[in-house]
Amino acid sequence: MTMNIHVNYDDLIPNNVDLSNDPKLKRALEKWHPGYINWWKDMGPEGFQTADVYLRTAVSVDPKGWAKFGYVKMPEYRWGILLAPQVEDRTVPFGEHKGELAWQDVPGEYRAMLRRLIVIQGDTEPASVEQQRYLGKTAPSLYDMRNLFQVNVEEGRHLWAMVYLLQRYFGRDGREEAEGLLARRSGDADNPRMLGAFNEKTPDWLSFFMFTFFTDRDGKMQLESLAQSGFDPLSRTTRFMLTEEAHHMFVGESGIARTIERTCEVMKANGIDDPHGKERIRALGVIDLPTIQKKLNLHYSLSLDLFGSEVSTNAANAFNAGLKGRYQETKIEDDHMLRDVTYPVLELKDGKFVTVDEPALAALNGRLRDDYSADCQKGVTRWNKVIEKAGVNFELKLSHPAFHRYIGGFTNVYASPTGELMDKAAWEKRKGEWLPNTDDMDFIYHLMQPEYGIGKYANWISPPKVGIDNKPGDFEYVKLA
Ligand SMILES: [Fe+2]
Ligand SMILES: [Fe+2]
């Protein structure tokens, strides 16, 4: 297979995988295409399918200048198949096959495991589009609306990325899985998406920003570990996806930062020192910081569940097989086999949190989750700088890993966000202090009024410091139909 840095846009499906020389695959993908477009029209951003949106489209996989910007109607977006350049003589970087040449085809013995990894990743991509489909109606600005749609079309492209692997390498089962990816629906009672956080609602913009910060960051960690894969096409696909993913996390982090900034600014302008003076702060049309903390608790804890059980034989098997590595595997200095080594995992034993040295192979999910938490903490620290700079006495914190968990060792553990243990009844009684309650959700819901004026922003959020593609403040990011 030849490899191009530049993308062929002459084909129905833009690609840099020489699709025109693989007629069978081309036909399979072209057959899948109308179903995808139907899915996008049904489940993509509602009410904005004919708007002109200032979007970036990937035109190359060269890290410098891979995107071009222009107005596009979303159903006409050029979703393509883009793989990062092949690294010559790349070897499997970890596991039992460490040092062997990376696989260009599916190793037969790992076929089922590999397919499952790809399907699980693929399922999250359309799910988030479905979760976010009504948000355009309450966008706080055209700038934010454009960012939402950018994230949405790229999640659509990520679905293409996974479907390419399924159709190219997995024959009939792959085609069936590709159909399944278009058939499941976020939150559907009969045919839901595969992972919990992807069946939750994203009902408002604070949720959206939290989702892109916390849940897309889980995506980043998963992609990072798949980018290490000994199955080279998966490595190359996910490597390019990561370049897009960075923008999604920027949207989340800066969205929360701008919300915090505006709250602090309005508090100050009105002589409010107490960040807990909820009624007074809300009456001014901004979101009080304790409510932002509650949203953080919710999204962080839901995202922790996405890592699966801290101690897991599946994770060990995928590592041994050379299919899914650790975060920044090639930068870690050890034998990359993890024989006879341990990793410390926080567990609850006899009513106390203790650190247990588990076999490192079994603890890979726990390790990836720890790497994730450290990455989240960096963003939280930057948010706290915004609060500190405004002179408000409040600190946002990541909740304790045992708080509000449904998967892993802390399932059925009742802990507060600071890790205080209690019984179920006590926890239920207090959960409204820690997670958004009906009153909080109602307040946020009513605050979310659209602001479609050019260069205008809803009262609850500050404008960004810099425009997308360096556009000026009065740029019309979305031309509404
Ligand atoms: Fe994605
Ligand atoms: Fe994403």
Side-chain angles (χ1 to χ4, degrees):
M1 187 170 64
T2 53
M3 171 64 213
N4 311 302
I5 288 276
H6 294 284
V7 181
N8 177 2
Y9 271 85
D10 298 334
D11 289 352
L12 172 68
I13 302 158
N15 69 90
N16 70 343
V17 295
D18 210 12
L19 198 55
S20 50
N21 281 321
D22 190 342
K24 204 172 144 218
L25 174 63
K26 190 166 176 243
R27 262 199 310 280
L29 287 168
E30 287 180 354
K31 216 174 140 198
W32 188 80
H33 186 262
Y36 172 82
I37 295 294
N38 285 340
W39 166 81
W40 178 269
K41 286 183 175 164
D42 283 355
M43 298 310 290
E46 192 173 284
F48 298 91
Q49 300 274 352
T50 56
D52 288 303
V53 187
Y54 192 70
L55 294 174
R56 70 176 184 189
T57 302
V59 288
S60 146
V61 290
D62 188 342
K64 312 183 257 329
W66 55 268
K68 83 172 196 311
F69 285 85
Y71 286 103
V72 182
K73 293 188 201 330
M74 286 183 279
E76 292 162 20
Y77 188 78
R78 302 301 310 275
W79 287 282
I81 297 163
L82 289 94
L83 272 62
Q86 186 164 357
V87 175
E88 229 179 296
D89 301 324
R90 180 170 175 264
T91 55
V92 181
F94 58 89
E96 285 167 1
H97 301 278
K98 182 177 170 272
E100 296 173 21
L101 267 186
W103 303 295
Q104 299 305 326
D105 224 319
V106 177
E109 56 189 312
Y110 303 136
R111 190 185 157 88
M113 206 193 299
L114 190 54
R115 191 183 66 203
R116 174 126 188 113
L117 286 172
I118 294 170
V119 170
I120 290 178
Q121 180 61 42
D123 194 67
T124 66
E125 314 290 357
S128 65
V129 176
E130 293 164 4
Q131 288 168 293
Q132 296 161 13
R133 63 191 288 242
Y134 300 115
L135 289 173
K137 295 176 193 276
T138 54
S141 71
L142 295 178
Y143 165 89
D144 289 291
M145 185 192 279
R146 178 258 165 223
N147 284 348
L148 165 71
F149 295 160
Q150 183 71 61
V151 170
N152 292 160
V153 293
E154 285 174 351
E155 300 305 4
R157 205 202 67 74
H158 293 175
L159 172 60
W160 273 95
M162 293 298 115
V163 163
Y164 161 73
L165 294 176
L166 289 169
Q167 304 245 20
R168 166 80 175 74
Y169 296 97
F170 292 89
R172 201 168 95 201
D173 324 352
R175 287 194 290 280
E176 276 165 19
E177 295 285 13
E179 291 305 323
L181 288 167
L182 290 180
R184 286 185 287 276
R185 290 286 181 272
S186 176
D188 192 278
D190 302 319
N191 197 10
R193 292 293 172 185
M194 296 169 86
L195 302 174
F198 292 89
N199 286 304
E200 299 281 334
K201 285 198 165 69
T202 309
D204 60 77
W205 279 77
L206 189 55
S207 303
F208 171 64
F209 292 140
M210 289 292 178
F211 186 98
T212 42
F213 183 85
F214 287 108
T215 309
D216 279 71
R217 189 177 310 274
D218 157 70
K220 166 184 151 178
M221 301 309 285
Q222 303 301 335
L223 293 175
E224 286 272 7
S225 45
L226 295 173
Q228 304 288 341
S229 184
F231 178 51
D232 206 40
L234 177 60
S235 166
R236 291 170 52 201
T237 308
T238 47
R239 258 158 52 211
F240 186 71
M241 289 163 78
L242 281 164
T243 61
E244 294 165 311
E245 207 59 61
H247 176 69
H248 306 183
M249 274 162 294
F250 159 81
V251 169
E253 184 175 332
S254 61
I256 300 291
R258 289 161 53 213
T259 307
I260 292 169
E261 187 183 27
R262 182 64 184 148
T263 299
C264 293
E265 182 182 58
V266 168
M267 283 172 63
K268 228 172 168 182
N270 289 274
I272 302 175
D273 290 325
D274 178 12
H276 298 278
K278 186 174 88 177
E279 302 308 328
R280 280 185 72 197
I281 295 167
R282 289 185 176 183
L284 295 163
V286 290
I287 305 170
D288 53 294
L289 300 178
T291 298
I292 293 176
Q293 175 69 59
K294 287 187 189 182
K295 282 284 222 185
L296 183 161
N297 293 345
L298 175 66
H299 287 268
Y300 179 59
S301 56
L302 286 171
S303 300
L304 289 182
D305 277 346
L306 291 170
F307 290 84
S309 289
E310 296 83 353
V311 180
S312 148
T313 35
N314 279 346
N317 291 341
F319 183 90
N320 273 335
L323 299 182
K324 185 178 177 188
R326 290 171 291 177
Y327 179 55
Q328 301 191 330
E329 179 73 45
T330 49
K331 292 187 186 156
I332 301 171
E333 285 191 29
D334 63 12
D335 69 351
H336 304 278
M337 313 276 274
L338 302 181
R339 288 185 189 138
D340 311 317
V341 279
T342 60
Y343 183 83
V345 176
L346 188 70
E347 292 175 19
L348 188 65
K349 288 251 149 85
D350 304 322
K352 279 205 180 72
F353 291 110
V354 285
T355 305
V356 179
D357 286 329
E358 296 283 359
L361 264 178
L364 283 165
N365 286 344
R367 178 180 180 129
L368 191 62
R369 201 198 70 196
D370 287 345
D371 290 336
Y372 167 79
S373 295
D375 207 44
C376 289
Q377 182 57 53
K378 288 183 201 159
V380 174
T381 302
R382 284 190 287 267
W383 292 338
N384 283 329
K385 291 241 165 68
V386 176
I387 302 174
E388 201 189 305
K389 206 172 139 202
V392 174
N393 184 20
F394 190 87
E395 195 185 344
L396 291 165
K397 290 193 176 89
L398 292 177
S399 51
H400 190 279
F403 172 72
H404 189 236
R405 297 294 305 282
Y406 297 98
I407 289 186
F410 299 128
T411 310
N412 295 324
V413 168
Y414 296 93
S416 74
T418 52
E420 180 197 342
L421 291 163
M422 61 197 70
D423 62 25
K424 185 172 189 228
W427 192 91
E428 290 290 343
K429 222 168 126 187
R430 293 190 63 187
K431 76 172 181 196
E433 296 170 32
W434 304 320
L435 295 169
N437 57 36
T438 328
D439 172 56
D440 301 325
M441 294 305 285
D442 279 354
F443 164 68
I444 295 171
Y445 181 80
H446 286 106
L447 193 61
M448 296 290 136
Q449 301 299 327
E451 176 53 85
Y452 294 165
I454 297 168
K456 294 223 167 84
Y457 288 82
N459 179 65
W460 58 269
I461 190 164
S462 293
K465 303 261 180 301
V466 187
I468 291 296
D469 194 28
N470 279 315
K471 291 297 175 203
D474 60 352
F475 186 72
E476 193 175 7
Y477 288 101
V478 183
K479 291 180 181 165
L480 300 169

